[in-house]
Amino acid sequence: MLEYYLSSAFLRGSQVIINAAIWLAVGCFIAGVFKQMLGPSKTRRLFGDGTRYGLLIGWLVGMLLPVCSLGVIPVVREMHRVGVKGGTIIAFGLTAPLFNPVSVLYGLTLSDPIAIIVFTFSALVIVSVLGFAWDLLFPRTIEPIADSPLPSAGIRRSVALLESTSRELLSPTAALILLGILGSVLLATLIPKGALQAETEPDKAFAPIVMGLVMTPVYATPLQAMGQIGSMFQHGNSVGAAFSLLILGAGANLGLLTWFGIAYGIKRVLIFFTLLFSITVGLAYAVDQPLYPSGVQPSGHTHAFDSYTHPYTPAQENLFSQARSDLKDFRLKNDFGVSFLLLALILMGVGFRMTRTKLDLDSWYLVEQKSTGRFDIHLPGWFLGGITIVALIVASVIGTYLYYPPAEQLLAELRDINVNCVVAAKSKDWEGVKKWVPYCEDLSRRLEVGVYLREGKVSEFRSTIAALYRENLDALRDAVEVSNFHQCDELAQDVANTYLRMSNVFREQ
Amino acid sequence: MKELNQLSHPSNRDNATKRHKRPLRLGWLLLGVLWSSGLCLPGCHSHSFPTKKESPQKSKLPKFKFHRPKSVEQACQRMREIHQALVSNSEPPAPKEYSVVEIIHGEGAGAHSHFYLEAEWDPDEEDHHEGEMKSAKRTHQVKLDVFTELLDIVNWTPKIAAAEEFSEKEWTSIKSVCDDFRKVLGDKFGPEQSDAAKRDAYQQIATGANDFIGQLEALTKNSTSQK
């Protein structure tokens, strides 16, 4: 029994760290930019301090910056430290984990676009109401701090930024991040495998509430959440539950809520969370019927939440070795060295901490460096900080084009993986089928997004064929899961045929 | 000194405490209003609750696809058969009956089901999850009337066509015809209506329905003859 729980904790915890690694690094970097390049007053000004647009700016900046609900923790800590208004922090802190250019584009092609637009607008309503209510009820809970000297231009500023970024992972931020990860791990360990497959059917009256309660402690990246929402629309699940998943699943986690409690007090965070939950669930019920996709029939179950529940059943054996093998497959697909980047940052942070015991880095940062030539121009920190933030946003957009490549390129990759899947089914390699089906599904969705990005639209014809391909993959996976092996050959052939059809159609100009 | 004394005066301290507590009280009040409204919400969402007329077991059965045609040609054939049956003077066809086997995996909140046509289910090829999750078996007698079947086929035809070798233009035409047909059928076949009422409603739109089916047959024939 111990092996049953520990194997799940090991696998799910590792998966969360791999998924979150890049967003954590970016979040720590953004906090470092605010601290070392902008300074307190310019950070407050960036978020509309002294104007009535703070909430809107917080929402807008949150939409553009690529962070998740764990990566946003160092950023909101820094915002709070310098005295940004609580309402603006809420607007930013709740929006940033929900949307970024990559996830919004993904969402637009997965579901009816109007559904994602309504979800986005509803998120704006939630953060605005919460932010406004907060500023009204609890105005100025922390005094703005005065500016202190920023590091001098040149190498000193770069080192200071690097130190800030790396040491963030050794600060209380790390404890909050671990708490956020713990939420996901606990849930995955306690909820049995497959327990959430039938919980979001449209006839379940309390699906939005159940989804909100279950998903709040869970960590999900914006892209993961959007993918799951798309899957829910495809399977005819409750739209209200999809909305709860987005706002509470992707937007909150235990670590972030704990930080709110520490920063503002337990009573205030209880009020805040209850308001957040109530408004979210209320809106979830309001959009449930109107946004229900037409022509889709509920399939009775969904695999969208399998990654949040226990990966194994109690009767399975050798769970540790299975977990190691599953983690290895997961890393091959999802970890492009970013977890090593995170480790490198942590080690760098330790290095800086040890250096500080011997050197006075703070004084070194303030030493003015004279210009050495005509072209050696001193750029102010706020200018570079602003450029850095803009560059992050641009990188996010460029990353979108890289993540969703052109159809030709993606089909070349999908062809190989589809062949692996079909061959696995025909040669009765059931573990292989379970491994390859999610890859095929993911690539087929990215195929549509790649076309959408470059052509401005995906025709209904193409998206219907892509949806049919995923339906056939789903049917194959279901048959394998319940050991209906006599059907698998026929289903594998359906997958192969639909892939060919999809490939021909998407290659046509 | 006088100011310090004023601040430390018990009545001033009380006032400061009251001012501090006011936002929290407002917050709780706001919360109370929201919770009360929230409790009313499920009541407004009556579509989600099974009505007393439906048995809990029936309401849990998903939409079955055992009658889904394998090709557009088959879909057109079946639509034509149903159309002929509904516009003729003879008795409407009796509902098709399926015997459906439900295999329930797991228990309680984690349970989910898989459904099979009993005629095609092989009891020796046991449906089970790895790790030998507890399974239970139930059989359901499911009736499918021609009205539901017709609506389902009209809804499914675009997706069936997508899997065949139609060009984008041909598929778009098929989809457009099916969309128009679906609009015309509309809500004429609601569950609260009797079969006789549904048949009368269909006969009123029979000419239009005949046109739609004719268009689909022509599109299918043209595409087949071009191959």
Side-chain angles (χ1 to χ4, degrees):
Chain A
M1 200 39 106
L2 192 63
E3 192 187 18
Y4 172 73
Y5 290 116
L6 290 180
S7 59
S8 169
F10 167 69
L11 178 64
R12 293 296 187 224
S14 306
Q15 286 173 332
V16 167
I17 290 171
I18 290 169
N19 280 332
I22 182 70
W23 312 113
L24 280 174
V26 169
C28 293
F29 179 73
I30 293 171
V33 166
F34 287 171
K35 197 173 192 172
Q36 305 293 353
M37 288 189 159
L38 296 188
S41 62
K42 291 198 172 60
T43 304
R44 288 193 299 272
R45 207 186 305 170
L46 170 69
F47 285 98
D49 195 44
T51 71
R52 61 182 79 174
Y53 303 115
L55 292 178
L56 186 61
I57 293 170
W59 177 81
L60 201 60
V61 175
M63 284 276 286
L64 295 171
L65 282 181
V67 284
C68 63
S69 59
L70 288 177
V72 83
I73 292 174
V75 185
V76 296
R77 282 191 70 228
E78 179 60 19
M79 288 167 74
H80 177 72
R81 187 187 74 86
V82 304
V84 174
K85 279 164 76 170
T88 309
I89 293 177
I90 284 170
F92 172 80
L94 284 181
T95 307
L98 302 182
F99 303 109
N100 58 52
V102 177
S103 71
V104 170
L105 279 163
Y106 196 71
L108 282 173
T109 53
L110 289 183
S111 331
D112 285 337
I114 190 70
I116 299 302
I117 292 167
V118 169
F119 277 19
T120 310
F121 180 71
S122 302
L124 172 60
V125 166
I126 291 173
V127 302
S128 302
V129 166
L130 278 175
F132 181 74
W134 185 278
D135 284 340
L136 190 71
L137 296 173
F138 315 118
R140 204 49 102 182
T141 46
I142 184 166
E143 284 306 311
I145 63 169
D147 281 341
S148 53
L150 292 175
S152 311
I155 191 74
R156 287 169 170 77
R157 189 160 48 193
S158 303
V159 173
L161 178 57
L162 199 56
E163 185 193 3
S164 251
T165 304
S166 57
R167 289 195 63 191
E168 198 64 48
L169 292 166
L170 299 176
S171 68
T173 297
L176 294 167
I177 289 168
L178 284 172
L179 205 55
I181 295 172
L182 186 66
S184 269
V185 166
L186 275 176
L187 212 74
T189 310
L190 296 173
I191 299 184
K193 182 177 180 178
L196 296 179
Q197 286 184 0
E199 286 306 313
T200 55
E201 290 307 296
D203 60 341
K204 300 241 172 175
F206 295 109
I209 297 175
V210 167
M211 185 59 34
L213 285 171
V214 168
M215 295 305 290
T216 296
V218 158
Y219 166 75
T221 65
L223 208 53
Q224 242 179 328
M226 277 298 176
Q228 279 148 5
I229 286 167
S231 181
M232 290 174 80
F233 273 87
Q234 184 189 333
H235 289 95
N237 296 140
S238 161
V239 173
F243 185 71
S244 293
L245 164 67
L246 178 68
I247 305 297
L248 295 167
N253 62 64
L254 272 185
L256 189 60
L257 291 172
T258 305
W259 174 76
F260 268 112
I262 294 169
Y264 297 109
I266 281 290
K267 278 185 189 169
R268 285 185 180 142
V269 84
L270 278 175
I271 294 176
F272 159 75
F273 180 71
T274 313
L275 271 175
L276 169 66
F277 192 87
S278 308
I279 299 172
T280 301
V281 167
L283 279 171
Y285 278 106
V287 303
D288 189 52
Q289 289 293 319
L291 291 184
Y292 194 81
S294 56
V296 172
Q297 284 150 356
S299 57
H301 70 288
T302 176
H303 293 280
F305 309 108
D306 286 355
S307 57
Y308 299 133
T309 59
H310 204 291
Y312 312 116
T313 58
Q316 276 178 270
E317 289 173 355
N318 300 321
L319 291 180
F320 272 129
S321 68
Q322 183 66 50
R324 276 198 300 273
S325 165
D326 290 341
L327 181 61
K328 190 177 163 196
D329 290 338
F330 186 83
R331 280 194 60 210
L332 276 170
K333 188 194 165 196
N334 297 286
D335 186 2
F336 305 107
V338 277
S339 50
F340 288 115
L341 169 68
L342 207 63
L343 186 63
L345 280 174
I346 293 171
L347 291 172
M348 215 178 288
V350 170
F352 273 112
R353 190 175 267 187
M354 285 165 60
T355 307
R356 274 186 173 268
T357 59
K358 294 186 169 34
L359 297 173
D360 183 4
L361 283 176
D362 289 330
S363 302
W364 183 72
Y365 289 148
L366 296 177
V367 170
E368 279 293 331
Q369 206 170 335
K370 290 194 174 106
S371 300
T372 54
R374 228 173 62 178
F375 299 106
D376 187 9
I377 305 165
H378 272 206
L379 293 169
W382 62 265
F383 179 79
L384 284 176
I387 292 288
T388 308
I389 299 295
V390 169
L392 267 173
I393 294 166
V394 168
S396 177
V397 173
I398 292 172
T400 305
Y401 277 84
L402 291 174
Y403 189 71
Y404 302 117
E408 278 293 333
Q409 190 178 326
L410 194 132
L411 281 168
E413 191 182 346
L414 179 53
R415 179 193 57 220
D416 294 340
I417 295 189
N418 183 74
V419 163
N420 288 343
C421 181
V422 171
V423 165
K426 290 189 180 244
S427 59
K428 300 181 181 9
D429 173 12
W430 310 125
E431 289 304 318
V433 172
K434 285 188 217 173
K435 180 172 109 173
W436 294 118
V437 161
Y439 286 15
C440 292
E441 276 182 346
D442 181 48
L443 286 177
S444 72
R445 291 189 209 280
R446 284 164 57 188
L447 173 67
E448 288 187 75
V449 180
V451 168
Y452 183 85
L453 264 182
R454 288 161 179 85
E455 296 177 17
K457 62 179 173 99
V458 181
S459 68
E460 203 175 353
F461 177 55
R462 282 168 156 182
S463 63
T464 303
I465 291 173
L468 191 61
Y469 176 65
R470 286 190 289 273
E471 265 183 35
N472 288 340
L473 283 169
D474 227 12
L476 177 61
R477 174 177 39 202
D478 284 346
V480 166
E481 275 194 4
V482 298
S483 312
N484 262 351
F485 303 132
H486 66 280
Q487 281 189 343
C488 288
D489 211 55
E490 190 187 331
L491 292 170
Q493 196 55 49
D494 286 343
V495 167
N497 292 341
T498 346
Y499 165 76
L500 271 174
R501 180 95 175 108
M502 185 175 70
S503 171
N504 290 337
V505 161
F506 274 86
R507 281 183 211 277
E508 283 167 14
Q509 291 301 321
Chain B
M1 191 63 179
K2 191 177 172 188
E3 283 165 2
L4 275 171
N5 283 340
Q6 277 179 342
L7 277 172
S8 64
H9 194 277
S11 64
N12 288 333
R13 280 205 303 276
D14 283 344
N15 286 338
T17 309
K18 279 178 190 167
R19 277 198 299 275
H20 174 67
K21 282 192 176 171
R22 197 175 300 149
L24 280 174
R25 284 187 188 137
L26 273 175
W28 287 118
L29 182 64
L30 187 61
L31 216 56
V33 168
L34 270 171
W35 265 116
S36 313
S37 323
L39 286 171
C40 301
L41 268 172
C44 303
H45 207 59
S46 58
H47 293 293
S48 301
F49 284 91
T51 61
K52 282 185 187 164
K53 287 177 191 170
E54 293 175 38
S55 69
Q57 204 174 50
K58 194 175 174 185
S59 71
K60 280 185 192 167
L61 293 180
K63 180 77 185 173
F64 295 121
K65 295 184 180 177
F66 303 127
H67 52 291
R68 180 175 162 137
K70 299 233 183 293
S71 66
V72 177
E73 207 174 322
Q74 278 186 15
C76 291
Q77 237 170 5
R78 186 60 191 147
M79 278 193 254
R80 180 59 71 189
E81 283 169 11
I82 294 173
H83 173 79
Q84 303 289 21
L86 291 176
V87 300
S88 72
N89 293 326
S90 52
E91 286 291 312
K96 283 183 181 173
E97 277 199 39
Y98 296 103
S99 189
V100 176
V101 170
E102 179 187 5
I103 305 293
I104 305 162
H105 296 291
E107 295 173 290
H112 66 277
S113 299
H114 295 263
F115 298 88
Y116 308 91
L117 257 185
E118 191 169 33
E120 292 172 7
W121 184 62
D122 184 352
D124 292 332
E125 186 95 22
E126 207 179 311
D127 173 338
H128 64 273
H129 278 276
E130 64 186 16
E132 296 182 12
M133 196 186 282
K134 207 166 182 177
S135 297
K137 181 188 155 198
R138 267 192 217 156
T139 309
H140 305 278
Q141 298 307 316
V142 174
K143 286 188 181 172
L144 177 73
D145 60 76
V146 287
F147 308 100
T148 308
E149 189 182 354
L150 178 64
L151 255 176
D152 286 345
I153 292 175
V154 171
N155 284 331
W156 286 331
T157 299
K159 224 168 208 172
I160 298 168
E164 296 184 17
E165 293 300 318
F166 293 102
S167 67
E168 182 163 358
K169 196 175 166 191
E170 287 165 341
W171 182 87
T172 308
S173 303
I174 290 172
K175 173 92 177 31
S176 173
V177 170
C178 289
D179 284 347
D180 291 340
F181 197 178
R182 195 188 312 121
K183 274 186 209 150
V184 162
L185 289 172
D187 54 0
K188 291 181 173 43
F189 300 155
E192 65 285 350
Q193 290 172 304
S194 67
D195 282 1
K198 288 180 196 174
R199 192 184 194 181
D200 287 340
Y202 185 83
Q203 285 177 345
Q204 284 171 17
I205 53 130
T207 312
N210 185 54
D211 284 343
F212 289 129
I213 297 172
Q215 285 176 47
L216 286 172
E217 286 165 337
L219 284 164
T220 312
K221 206 179 273 182
N222 287 343
S223 178
T224 317
S225 64
Q226 277 168 17
K227 285 177 202 158

